[in-house]
Amino acid sequence: MTNQCGTSRIAGCQFTLYPMSDNFVDIILSALDEVDSSKVWKDTDDVSTCIRGKMVHIFDVTEAIFLHAAKTGEHVAMSGTFSIGCPGDSSGDVYMDETDEPQNQANIQSIEQEAGCKFALYPMGREDYMEQIMNQIDLSKSRGVKVSASHYATRLDGDVKDIFRTLHESFDQVQQEVSHVTMTFTVSANSPSNR
Amino acid sequence: MTNQCGTSRIAGCQFTLYPMSDNFVDIILSALDEVDSSKVWKDTDDVSTCIRGKMVHIFDVTEAIFLHAAKTGEHVAMSGTFSIGCPGDSSGDVYMDETDEPQNQANIQSIEQEAGCKFALYPMGREDYMEQIMNQIDLSKSRGVKVSASHYATRLDGDVKDIFRTLHESFDQVQQEVSHVTMTFTVSANSPSNR
Ligand SMILES: [Ca+2]
């Protein structure tokens, strides 16, 4: 609780990949092996993984890790929090010099995977945070995903690539107006409830 | 994204239990079966479970579900978001008439389970949100848990009951000062990384 806000536009995501399978270790390691994370700072422990860098790469890497795990056909979920604008510590700042070209989009293009996702945006430090959420997000333009209301969250259903594009656009729109933004998400694929 | 803030002090948690096991369905159903959730409103779909009611029961029920799943010895994690003060819709309001007696503490008292947890507090709608976090939380008094800093989060290690007591106390202290508070958490037990 000693973090201070900084001015860097470095983004980050603290997330965990959850394969509901006895082979969870192999699924996680294989997914990580197939994903190029060379453009993000990365730190993993037994609870979660943190990546930091340019926003485009944060979304590219999380999407690719989820897709490579989900294509195994196992019930796989990912929960995490995207963040930008705070805290202002310097780990990973060097990664802001990377180019904007996402490393994994070509490799995941052929993976077709349906999923369900719940997310919530939290613009920090603003008394008008509800207006910021309402004004900046127009989910009616979210092609390819079905949008519905949920308790404490908005639900997206559709192709994983459309879901992550919607997450990315929503987060990007709010962070253009609000310095410190966090966004929680849980995305789930191949649930037996849907078979 | 059409939620409005209300005045009710109803608390809630949107969470998912993740057993990393082929037997994940049985583990989830058994844990739910062993937990008394009669004092909370509950709604489950394929992505997550939402419970709402008095704060004491929200923490009691999430703790008990996690402990009953973790005692199987399988690698089990839970990720979610606690929330109070918003949105102000009325689902579950009737549960605010329940007594304050937690239903599951006696039943979990004998379960000894170590875990690691990362959590982050988000006081909403306040320009002084960083001060609110700093001022209200004194984790040095968190008996039984080891506290450490992590990117975008604070890490707690120790007995699951001590971890949930610390989460509950931290959330309660901030919500006494700030109307709308959310708190993300991920708690993980029996990870092979720790064997
Ligand atoms: Ca098995």
Side-chain angles (χ1 to χ4, degrees), chain A residues 1-53:
Chain A
M1 292 301 164
T2 55
N3 294 322
Q4 299 291 334
C5 283
T7 53
S8 164
R9 292 317 279 168
I10 191 168
C13 187
Q14 177 92 242
F15 67 92
T16 312
L17 178 68
Y18 299 112
M20 262 61 76
S21 161
D22 287 355
N23 300 322
F24 68 94
V25 173
D26 288 341
I27 294 169
I28 292 171
L29 293 180
S30 297
L32 291 177
D33 189 52
E34 291 184 89
V35 172
D36 183 341
S37 57
S38 59
K39 288 188 176 176
V40 297
W41 179 90
K42 185 152 68 100
D43 185 42
T44 298
D45 63 24
D46 59 309
V47 175
S48 60
T49 294
C50 182
I51 59 174
R52 307 188 78 215

Side-chain angles (χ1 to χ4, degrees), chain B residues 127-141:
Chain B
E127 292 178 13
D128 64 344
Y129 65 105
M130 292 302 288
E131 288 168 62
Q132 288 297 329
I133 294 174
M134 311 271 204
N135 292 347
Q136 298 307 319
I137 301 179
D138 183 359
L139 288 169
S140 66
K141 290 176 187 159

Side-chain angles (χ1 to χ4, degrees), chain A residues 3 14 18 79 129 151 180, chain B residues 14 18 79 129-130 151 180:
Chain A
N3 294 322
Q14 177 92 242
Y18 299 112
S79 283
Y129 65 104
H151 274 287
H180 181 197
Chain B
Q14 179 90 243
Y18 300 111
S79 283
Y129 65 105
M130 292 302 288
H151 275 288
H180 182 196

Side-chain angles (χ1 to χ4, degrees), chain A residues 22, chain B residues 21-23:
Chain A
D22 287 355
Chain B
S21 162
D22 288 353
N23 302 321

Side-chain angles (χ1 to χ4, degrees), chain A residues 133-152:
Chain A
I133 294 174
M134 311 271 203
N135 292 347
Q136 298 307 319
I137 301 179
D138 183 359
L139 288 169
S140 66
K141 291 176 186 158
S142 301
R143 293 151 294 146
V145 293
K146 182 174 154 243
V147 180
S148 53
S150 174
H151 274 287
Y152 306 121

Side-chain angles (χ1 to χ4, degrees), chain B residues 15 18 24 35 37 45 52 66 72 79 84 92 95 108 113 140 142 145 150 154-155 161 168 178 186 192 195:
Chain B
F15 66 92
Y18 300 111
F24 69 93
V35 172
S37 58
D45 63 25
R52 307 187 78 214
F66 181 73
T72 61
S79 283
I84 194 165
Y95 287 89
I108 61 176
Q113 177 70 55
S140 66
S142 301
V145 292
S150 175
T154 299
R155 179 167 180 143
K161 293 190 287 287
H168 188 170
V178 179
T186 294
R195 279 171 202 159

